[in-house]
């Protein structure tokens, strides 16, 4: 009877015209929905599945959903069909609440209660979905239309009847109470309603808490009921219910922890309860929880001894949640300092839990953030209180360093060989986290930490303590590396000793050798201030270059040394170049490391006299030039393509860092002899000399590979990186490079050639002597680009050198029209118009074009906003309007009036008044671009008939 009344109610509502009926509405019948669901679940054809899913999504939001959803819940239907019916009800209630007449609320609520009761002993997934639907109804009606929603839910499910046993009714009620706060978190309620409903739900906690406490404390409550109680608590505490009001219930959760069936849900409930931001206000409750957490230590130790990772992980989560979220509040309770210190030591135990992460344990990583938080809180106190806390906690942090370095140790070689690649990667990331923590701890412990590490390393390497494993040595070095990478250790008195100890290390392991290399690299800045120590470590680095297993660490370390210490390296230069050449010829390293090595050599050569640079360049790159000449004569194929790109890449990376212009500036800060500070002699830059020598060869390579974008990109990269590094020293190459670029681009246009052209324009277009070739290149590239409708790449050039528009050979009108058209195609090209328009006043040819054709641009933009283009591009169209308003205000005022006066333009859905409002809003905003974007978004929604819909809310 209730179903028929409800169905009739919505049928009347639809026929009254309150919900528009689509032409295909009659297709959304019970039979068709069932057929579509069968197709979705069982049809092997993926296209049919996709079609069914799309159709079902339309059915779910259709007016007919009110009829078929109830029918699909029939007891004779399979759970998948019933689930869709319940989901359709939830969709209608949560997303189309405004379509439901208020006189139907009570009927709908009653029917949902009835269905939940029916399914309390049925399918769990259907029951949950029905509970979510009723929860959504409650959120939309409380507190006005449904005051006391929760007490009514409790009363309804406590009443006997309907042939449903008490346990099933209890579980159904708990499911409903659990999903109610969860549904609130994801609801689409307006912001003002969210505040009202949150307050109403907070008041309902007074009805929920006693019920949960009663069920959890009853000895005869089944395990399933207790588990659901714990889940319900987890859900409600996310609403920031006061911790003081749930204190007893949270304490009861601790009594559930010994039960393996309840352990996980109890942990989740406790952690959620004490992690809420508001809970720090309830210090007395927090103080009561500290001994509760400490009481778990026996259970924790037993779990660790028995290898029960799940239990140790869960208890650690509880301890960390209390410590991390409330360390400051608990620190401030000075009279309870011993309890908090005990909690800190419990977390220390979790940090140092036995076993190797992530194979034997996964718990220790949970604790690292706690140590950051505790340190921050201690250091935030005034100096007097800070001193008191440091007296207690500095020893704790020294202990933490020992624990972390122990945890960072590699396992034995045999054990490590059995780890999967994923486990090794997780361990690597874990060590990085430890490194970050050590770096942070240094802020508290200072130089004493480095002294501590140095003493331990010294005892190992000078045989003053029993033989230690390589892992111990590696971990201590890793500690140094972690700190030196980010902290200025230039004034540390232990670094000279450390540098002296490094050559004494018996490097018989790849991991140890890697860490030695990275440690030396981390000390590169220190070495620049103490160049006398270079002789101690440079031989180790050069020796490691020949080991492919140390490729990354050795090459990156050499690069750092060459960058930081280049003015002190000339005595070692010939040796470094020779070793580097050898490893490059032997192809020991992968491509990326070869590129780093060339960058290192670029730094190194930058500090040498020009004649030495040229001599070294000759020996270094001649083998590659010879190889490139041979490859240029061969017929193009995939194999020689890779070789060509590799050689061009080597040259690019060498020229990226080879910069003699900085010799005079930078060497003044070095301890190098005065001869190094001599300014570079006049004459062409060594890079330019080499480029001029190989220019013809590069042209030969291009002649055969011009249609291959990767080879062209590699060629352009050589010049682009050289231009960026040399800037105006590149001048001798401008004319011939401009000519080559023009030939390249006019034959086969490539994006990399455009990028290089832009770079050339930026640097040389303002120089009188170079303007003619740059102007000719720009005209040619613009002409070619216009012909293929890709002008957008040139926009940055317009900004740098608007004089280019004064060229008689440049078709400014074509550039403008291209920008106008492409603006409507893709956001990439909107820059054209916004770059052109600012020059209306100072570039006469452009001003004429804008006056003649600006109205066409505006018309195209307004048409796009009105629905002719994707909504995702509205910000770009708003930028065009903003630019017009800023630079062509009087013209825009006239054009807007003329363009928008056409009836039905840009949309039949927009009225004359709305168009007038839009015009006034746009003309008013000449400064606030963000506001113009909002106006455009609002207007496009009105034009598309989407204003005020759920789609607008997501826009």
């Amino acid at each position: 009877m209730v179903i028929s009344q409800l169905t009739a109610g919505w049928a009347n509502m639809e026929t009254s015209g309150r919900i528009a009926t689509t032409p295909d509405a009659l297709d959304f019948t019970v039979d068709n929905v069932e057929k579509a669901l069968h197709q979705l679940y069982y049809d092997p054809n993926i296209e049919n599945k996709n079609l069914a899913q799309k159709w079902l999504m339309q059915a779910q939001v259709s007016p007919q959903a009110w009829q078929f959803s109830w029918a699909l819940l029939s007891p004779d239907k399979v759970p998948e069909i019933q689930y869709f019916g319940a989901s359709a009800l939830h969709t209608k209630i949560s997303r189309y609440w405004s379509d439901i007449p208020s006189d139907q609320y009570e009927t709908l609520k009653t029917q949902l209660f009835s269905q939940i009761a029916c399914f309390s002993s049925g399918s769990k997934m259907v029951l949950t979905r029905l509970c979510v639907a009723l929860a959504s109804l409650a959120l939309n009606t409380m507190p006005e239309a449904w005051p006391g929603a929760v007490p009514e839910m409790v009363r309804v499910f406590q009443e006997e009847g309907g042939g449903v046993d008490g346990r099933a009714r209890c579980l159904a009620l708990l499911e409903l109470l659990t999903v109610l706060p969860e549904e609130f978190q994801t609801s689409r309620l307006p912001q003002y309603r969210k505040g009202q409903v949150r307050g109403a739900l907070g008041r309902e906690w007074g009805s929920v808490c006693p019920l949960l406490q009663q069920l959890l404390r009853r000895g005869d409550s089944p395990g399933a009921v207790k588990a659901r109680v714990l889940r319900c608590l987890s859900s409600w505490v996310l609403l920031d219910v006061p911790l003081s009001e749930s204190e007893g219930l949270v304490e009861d959760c601790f009594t559930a922890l010994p039960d393996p069936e309840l352990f996980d849900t109890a942990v989740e409930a406790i952690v959620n309860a004490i992690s809420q931001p508001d809970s720090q206000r309830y210090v007395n409750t927090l103080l009561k929880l500290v001994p509760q957490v400490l009481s778990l230590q026996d259970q924790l130790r037993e779990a660790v001894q028995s290898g029960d990772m799940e239990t140790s992980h869960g208890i650690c989560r509880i301890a960390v949640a209390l410590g991390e979220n409330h360390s400051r509040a608990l620190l401030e309770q000075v009279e309870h300092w011993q309890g908090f210190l005990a909690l800190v030591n419990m977390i220390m135990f979790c940090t140092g839990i036995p076993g190797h992460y992530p194979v034997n344990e996964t718990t220790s990583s949970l604790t690292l953030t706690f140590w950051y938080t505790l340190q921050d809180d201690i250091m935030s106190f005034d100096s007097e209180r800070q001193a008191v806390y440091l007296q207690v906690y500095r020893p704790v942090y020294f202990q933490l360093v020992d624990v972390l370095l122990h945890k960072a140790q590699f396992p034995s070689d045999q054990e490590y060989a059995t780890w999967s690649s994923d486990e090794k990667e997780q361990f690597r990331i874990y060590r990085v986290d430890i490194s970050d923590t050590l770096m942070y701890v240094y802020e508290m412990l200072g130089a004493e930490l480095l002294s501590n590490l140095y003493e331990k390393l010294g005892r190992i390497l000078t045989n003053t303590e029993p033989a230690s494993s390589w892992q111990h040595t590696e971990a201590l070095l890793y500690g140094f590396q972690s700190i030196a990478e980010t902290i200025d250790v230039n004034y540390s008195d232990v670094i000279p000793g450390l540098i002296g100890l490094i050559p004494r290390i018996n490097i018989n392991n790849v991991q140890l050798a890697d860490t030695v290399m990275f440690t030396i690299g981390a000390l590169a800045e220190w070495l620049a201030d103490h160049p006398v120590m270079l002789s101690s470590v440079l031989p180790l680095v050069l020796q490691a270059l020949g080991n492919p297993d140390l490729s990354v660490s050795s090459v990156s370390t050499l690069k750092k040394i060459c960058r930081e210490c280049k003015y002190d390296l000339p005595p070692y230069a010939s040796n470094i170049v020779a070793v580097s050449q050898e490893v490059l010829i032997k192809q020991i390293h992968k491509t990326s490391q070869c590129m780093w090595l060339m960058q290192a050599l670029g730094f190194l050569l930058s500090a040498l006299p020009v004649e030495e640079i040229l001599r070294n360049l000759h020996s270094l790159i001649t083998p590659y030039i010879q190889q490139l000449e041979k490859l240029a004569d061969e017929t193009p194929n995939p194999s020689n393509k890779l070789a060509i790109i590799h050689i061009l890449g080597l040259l690019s990376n060498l020229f990226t860092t080879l910069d003699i212009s900085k010799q005079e500036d930078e060497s003044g800060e070095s301890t190098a002899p005065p001869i190094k500070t001599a300014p570079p002699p006049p004459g062409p830059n060594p890079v330019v000399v080499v480029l001029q020598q190989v220019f013809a060869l590069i042209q030969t390579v291009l002649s055969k590979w011009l249609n291959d974008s990767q080879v062209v990109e590699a060629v352009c990269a050589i010049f682009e990186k050289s231009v960026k590094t040399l800037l105006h020293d590149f001048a001798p190459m401008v004319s011939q490079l401009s000519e080559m670029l023009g030939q390249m681009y006019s034959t086969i246009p490539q994006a990399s050639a455009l990028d290089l052209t832009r770079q050339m324009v930026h640097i040389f277009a303002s120089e009188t002597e170079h303007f003619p070739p740059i102007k000719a290149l720009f005209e040619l590239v613009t002409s070619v680009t216009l012909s293929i409708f890709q002008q957008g790449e040139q926009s940055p050039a317009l900004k740098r050198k608007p004089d280019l528009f004064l060229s008689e050979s440049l078709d400014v009108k074509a550039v403008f029209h291209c920008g106008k058209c492409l603006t409507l195609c893709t956001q990439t090209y909107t820059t054209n118009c916004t770059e052109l328009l600012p020059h209306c006043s100072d570039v006469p040819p452009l001003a004429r074009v804008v006056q003649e054709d600006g109205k066409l641009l505006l018309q195209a933009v307004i048409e796009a906003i009105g629905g002719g283009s994707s909504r995702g591009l509205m910000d770009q169209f708003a930028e065009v309007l903003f630019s017009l308003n800023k630079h062509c205000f009087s013209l825009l005022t006239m054009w807007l009036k003329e363009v928008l006066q056409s009836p039905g333009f840009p949309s039949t859905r927009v009225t004359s008044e709305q168009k007038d409002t839009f015009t006034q809003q746009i003309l008013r905003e000449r400064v606030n671009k963000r506001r113009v974007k909002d106006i455009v978004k609002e207007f496009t929604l009105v034009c598309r008939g989407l204003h005020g819909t759920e789609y607008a809310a997501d826009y």
Side-chain angles (χ1 to χ4, degrees):
M1 181 65 181
V2 176
I3 290 180
S4 60
Q5 289 176 349
L6 192 62
T7 305
W10 267 288
N12 293 336
M13 185 172 65
E14 289 150 13
T15 56
S16 68
R18 290 188 58 185
I19 299 180
T21 306
T22 64
D24 300 323
L26 294 177
D27 293 337
F28 300 132
T29 62
V30 174
D31 288 343
N32 285 342
V33 170
E34 290 194 47
K35 288 175 185 175
L37 286 167
H38 188 275
Q39 185 172 312
L40 177 65
Y41 286 116
Y42 303 112
D43 194 317
N45 187 306
I46 190 66
E47 289 185 9
N48 290 343
K49 284 179 177 287
N50 290 338
L51 286 172
Q53 185 174 27
K54 187 175 181 181
W55 186 89
L56 286 166
M57 289 174 68
Q58 293 173 331
Q60 206 169 31
V61 299
S62 71
Q64 282 64 40
W66 289 117
Q67 281 84 45
F68 67 67
S69 55
W70 299 108
L72 294 177
L73 291 170
S74 174
D76 60 339
K77 306 294 184 186
V78 296
E80 291 82 1
I81 290 175
Q82 294 170 332
Y83 179 84
F84 183 79
S87 293
L89 283 173
H90 172 248
T91 299
K92 298 297 287 184
I93 293 170
S94 62
R95 293 169 61 180
Y96 299 97
W97 178 254
S98 59
D99 294 339
I100 304 174
S102 57
D103 60 357
Q104 297 289 337
Y105 293 171
E106 195 63 33
T107 306
L108 179 57
K109 178 174 68 175
T110 302
Q111 185 58 28
L112 284 170
F113 270 129
S114 175
Q115 289 291 342
I116 290 171
C118 291
F119 278 92
S120 59
S121 300
S123 168
K124 171 69 168 61
M125 65 178 184
V126 180
L127 172 65
T128 299
R129 212 70 200 138
L130 287 168
C131 287
V132 172
L134 182 56
S136 183
L137 185 148
L139 295 175
N140 278 291
T141 52
M142 65 169 51
E144 297 89 355
W146 193 3
V150 170
E152 183 174 347
M153 292 174 185
V154 174
R155 178 182 56 75
V156 168
F157 283 98
Q158 283 179 338
E159 292 175 353
E160 296 186 10
V164 181
D165 67 82
R167 178 176 176 274
R169 282 187 282 108
C170 182
L171 288 171
L173 171 61
L174 288 171
E175 183 67 18
L176 177 57
L177 293 177
T178 300
V179 300
L180 184 59
E182 294 171 352
E183 178 68 6
F184 172 77
Q185 303 290 355
T186 59
S187 67
R188 296 169 177 248
L189 294 171
Q191 203 58 43
Y192 79 95
R193 279 282 296 152
K194 277 215 164 189
Q196 292 176 347
V197 175
R198 177 183 282 275
L201 284 172
R203 292 188 291 275
E204 302 285 17
W205 175 241
S207 302
V208 176
C209 187
L211 173 67
L212 300 183
Q213 205 159 12
Q214 178 188 0
L215 291 172
L216 197 57
R217 289 178 177 178
R218 281 180 57 171
D220 59 347
S221 288
V225 169
K226 289 186 175 182
R228 198 69 62 81
V229 166
L230 294 169
R231 272 192 56 227
C232 190
L233 171 61
S234 282
S235 177
W236 277 84
V237 295
L238 295 177
L239 292 174
D240 292 331
V241 296
L243 184 61
S244 59
E245 294 181 15
S246 57
E247 176 185 318
L249 195 49
V250 173
E251 289 179 357
D252 289 341
C253 292
F254 282 88
T255 64
L257 289 171
D259 186 339
E261 298 297 320
L262 301 177
F263 180 81
D264 288 341
T265 47
V267 167
E268 204 64 37
I270 294 169
V271 169
N272 285 343
I274 60 183
S275 298
Q276 293 311 301
D278 194 50
S279 58
Q280 61 188 333
R281 293 168 47 200
Y282 306 99
V283 177
N284 290 334
T285 302
L286 294 173
L287 289 172
K288 292 177 186 176
L289 290 175
V290 171
Q292 292 268 18
V293 175
L294 294 176
S295 70
L296 301 175
Q297 289 183 94
D298 289 341
Q299 189 179 354
L300 173 62
R301 289 193 177 89
E302 289 172 11
V304 170
Q305 289 169 3
S306 63
D308 183 354
M309 291 172 63
E310 286 77 13
T311 299
S312 58
H313 195 84
I315 293 175
C316 175
R317 283 187 64 202
I318 293 172
V320 169
L322 182 58
E324 191 175 307
N325 288 289
H326 307 295
S327 62
R328 185 176 182 89
L330 293 172
L331 278 169
E332 288 176 335
Q333 309 310 307
V334 180
E335 65 276 16
H336 297 280
W337 70 273
Q338 290 174 312
F340 183 59
L341 182 59
L343 177 65
V344 171
N345 286 325
M346 181 179 177
I347 296 173
M348 180 76 77
F349 176 82
C350 295
T351 304
I353 204 162
H356 288 288
Y357 182 96
V359 176
N360 312 115
E361 62 91 8
T362 56
T363 298
S364 57
S365 62
L366 299 176
T367 66
L368 298 181
T369 308
F370 164 75
W371 298 108
Y372 287 83
T373 304
L374 178 60
Q375 179 176 326
D376 282 344
D377 288 335
I378 290 172
M379 304 306 284
S380 68
F381 286 115
D382 60 71
S383 56
E384 186 176 339
R385 295 176 70 188
Q386 189 182 118
V388 174
Y389 287 119
L390 286 175
Q391 192 173 356
V392 175
Y393 287 101
R394 269 178 67 88
V396 173
Y397 272 84
F398 274 113
Q399 181 189 352
L400 173 66
V401 171
D402 292 339
V403 168
L404 290 176
L405 291 178
H406 180 75
K407 293 296 294 182
Q409 287 185 23
F410 281 88
S412 67
D413 294 336
Q414 296 82 1
E415 183 182 347
Y416 193 62
T418 66
W419 285 17
S420 68
S421 57
D422 184 54
E423 288 168 339
K424 289 178 179 177
E425 176 61 11
Q426 287 185 59
F427 182 60
R428 184 194 68 78
I429 296 170
Y430 175 67
R431 278 170 52 98
V432 171
D433 292 340
I434 286 177
S435 173
D436 292 342
T437 308
L438 289 170
M439 178 270 294
Y440 206 73
V441 167
Y442 179 84
E443 297 291 342
M444 175 188 279
L445 302 182
E448 191 178 345
L449 172 56
L450 290 177
S451 300
N452 186 290
L453 295 176
Y454 174 66
E455 288 172 11
K456 289 177 180 175
L457 186 63
R459 285 199 297 270
I460 292 174
L461 297 178
T462 55
N463 299 317
T464 57
E465 67 175 39
S468 184
S469 64
W470 68 263
Q471 287 94 338
H472 194 184
T473 303
E474 189 277 336
L476 287 167
L477 275 177
Y478 187 68
F480 271 112
Q481 175 202 329
S482 303
I483 296 165
E485 274 181 337
T486 50
I487 303 294
D488 182 6
V489 295
N490 280 5
Y491 302 102
S492 170
D493 55 0
V494 303
I495 302 301
L498 172 64
I499 296 289
L501 286 175
I502 286 177
R504 304 183 63 159
I505 297 172
N506 180 22
I507 304 176
N508 55 4
N509 177 278
V510 171
Q511 284 87 17
L512 176 57
D514 256 337
T515 303
V516 169
M517 286 299 105
F518 283 127
T519 303
I520 294 171
L523 295 171
E525 288 188 33
W526 184 91
L527 288 168
D529 290 337
H530 306 81
V532 69
M533 304 300 290
L534 279 168
S535 58
S536 298
V537 293
L538 199 52
L540 291 174
V541 179
L542 295 180
Q543 182 182 355
L545 277 181
N547 187 342
D549 292 331
L550 304 177
S551 181
V552 172
S553 60
S554 62
V555 174
S556 65
T557 294
L558 181 63
K559 180 181 171 183
K560 287 180 179 179
I561 289 175
C562 289
R563 184 183 65 219
E564 302 297 336
C565 311
K566 59 185 175 185
Y567 298 111
D568 301 296
L569 291 178
Y572 311 96
S574 58
N575 194 22
I576 294 173
V577 172
V579 173
S580 300
Q581 275 186 283
E582 183 182 354
V583 299
L584 286 168
I585 291 169
K586 289 181 178 178
Q587 298 181 341
I588 286 174
H589 302 293
K590 293 180 180 178
T591 299
S592 56
Q593 277 70 58
C594 290
M595 302 305 158
W596 293 357
L597 190 51
M598 292 303 267
Q599 289 179 22
L601 293 174
F603 285 125
L604 174 71
L605 297 181
S606 298
L608 300 179
V610 171
E611 58 272 15
E612 286 189 39
I613 295 175
L614 289 170
R615 186 169 63 251
N616 279 288
L617 281 176
H618 179 75
S619 65
L620 183 62
I621 67 177
T622 294
Y624 295 110
I625 300 304
Q626 292 170 347
Q627 187 182 352
L628 191 60
E629 288 173 342
K630 181 182 174 184
L631 291 166
D633 291 336
E634 296 177 3
T635 304
N637 64 68
S639 176
N640 56 27
K641 170 185 170 178
L642 290 175
I644 288 171
I645 291 174
H646 180 75
I647 293 171
L648 296 174
L650 292 175
L651 295 176
S652 295
N653 281 275
L654 178 63
F655 298 156
T656 298
T657 55
L658 208 173
D659 184 8
I660 64 171
S661 66
K662 295 182 181 177
Q663 280 189 358
E664 186 173 11
D665 295 334
E666 295 187 5
S667 60
E669 300 176 8
S670 172
T671 57
I675 189 171
K676 297 178 189 173
T677 65
N685 188 287
V687 172
V688 172
V689 172
V690 173
L691 286 175
Q692 288 174 329
Q693 290 173 354
V694 300
F695 197 81
L697 175 57
I698 290 174
Q699 286 180 308
T700 304
V701 171
L702 276 176
S703 67
K704 288 192 174 183
W705 291 92
L706 193 54
N707 62 343
D708 190 295
S709 62
Q710 290 176 303
V711 174
V712 172
E713 185 176 340
V715 168
C716 290
I718 291 178
F719 295 105
E720 187 172 8
K721 290 182 178 180
S722 300
V723 170
K724 284 181 179 178
T725 304
L726 303 182
L727 299 176
H728 298 286
D729 285 350
F730 189 81
M733 296 286 298
V734 170
S735 182
Q736 60 190 130
L737 180 57
S738 297
E739 184 180 352
M740 188 184 83
L741 265 176
Q743 292 169 354
M744 285 168 55
Y745 197 74
S746 59
T747 307
I748 300 179
Q750 303 269 18
S752 53
L754 277 176
D755 290 335
L756 180 53
T757 299
R758 183 172 61 236
Q759 194 72 27
M760 297 278 285
V761 169
H762 286 180
I763 296 172
F764 295 107
S766 299
E767 297 187 5
T768 306
E769 61 182 299
H770 299 304
F771 188 72
I774 294 294
K775 174 185 171 186
L777 173 62
F778 182 77
E779 289 172 357
L780 188 150
V781 169
T782 301
S783 175
V784 173
T785 306
L786 284 170
S787 69
I788 57 173
F789 222 54
Q790 290 181 340
Q791 169 63 22
E793 293 285 351
Q794 290 295 1
S795 293
L798 318 181
K799 205 173 189 177
R800 293 296 182 102
K801 194 62 180 172
D803 290 1
L804 292 168
F805 284 114
L806 298 175
S807 169
E808 295 177 1
S809 308
L810 185 65
D811 188 346
V812 179
K813 190 163 188 171
V815 174
F816 183 81
H817 275 266
C818 187
K820 173 181 75 69
C821 298
L822 284 174
T823 295
L824 309 185
C825 300
T826 170
Q827 67 184 61
T828 307
Y829 296 100
T830 318
T831 359
N832 268 325
C833 297
T834 55
E835 299 289 6
L836 286 167
L837 292 170
H839 299 295
C840 289
S841 58
D842 52 354
V843 180
L846 185 56
R848 286 195 299 272
V849 171
V850 172
Q851 281 189 329
E852 292 171 9
D853 297 327
K855 181 179 172 183
L856 290 175
L857 170 66
L858 177 66
Q859 191 166 356
V861 169
I862 297 295
E863 184 177 352
I865 294 171
S869 190
S870 165
R871 281 192 289 150
L873 297 176
M874 291 305 115
D875 278 357
Q876 282 68 44
F877 299 135
E879 295 217 12
V880 177
L881 286 177
F882 181 77
S883 192
L884 282 168
N885 197 25
K886 190 171 183 179
H887 303 288
C888 315
F889 178 74
S890 58
L891 290 171
L892 179 64
T893 305
M894 178 177 62
W895 292 337
L896 273 173
K897 185 176 180 181
E898 293 173 0
V899 166
L900 288 173
Q901 71 181 2
S902 303
F905 181 85
S907 166
T908 55
R909 296 186 179 92
V910 66
T911 65
S912 298
E913 290 78 9
Q914 289 169 320
K915 288 193 278 189
D916 288 343
T917 301
F918 172 71
T919 299
Q920 292 166 11
Q921 289 175 326
I922 290 293
L923 294 174
R924 195 180 301 129
E925 296 296 339
R926 303 184 67 185
V927 176
N928 191 339
K929 188 188 294 185
R930 178 73 262 165
R931 174 65 184 138
V932 173
K933 290 180 179 180
D934 291 339
I935 294 166
V936 168
K937 286 181 180 179
E938 184 87 5
F939 190 62
T940 196
L941 290 172
V942 173
C943 291
R944 296 165 196 255
L946 297 175
H947 192 263
T949 67
E950 60 171 311
Y951 300 102
D954 296 335
Y955 184 37

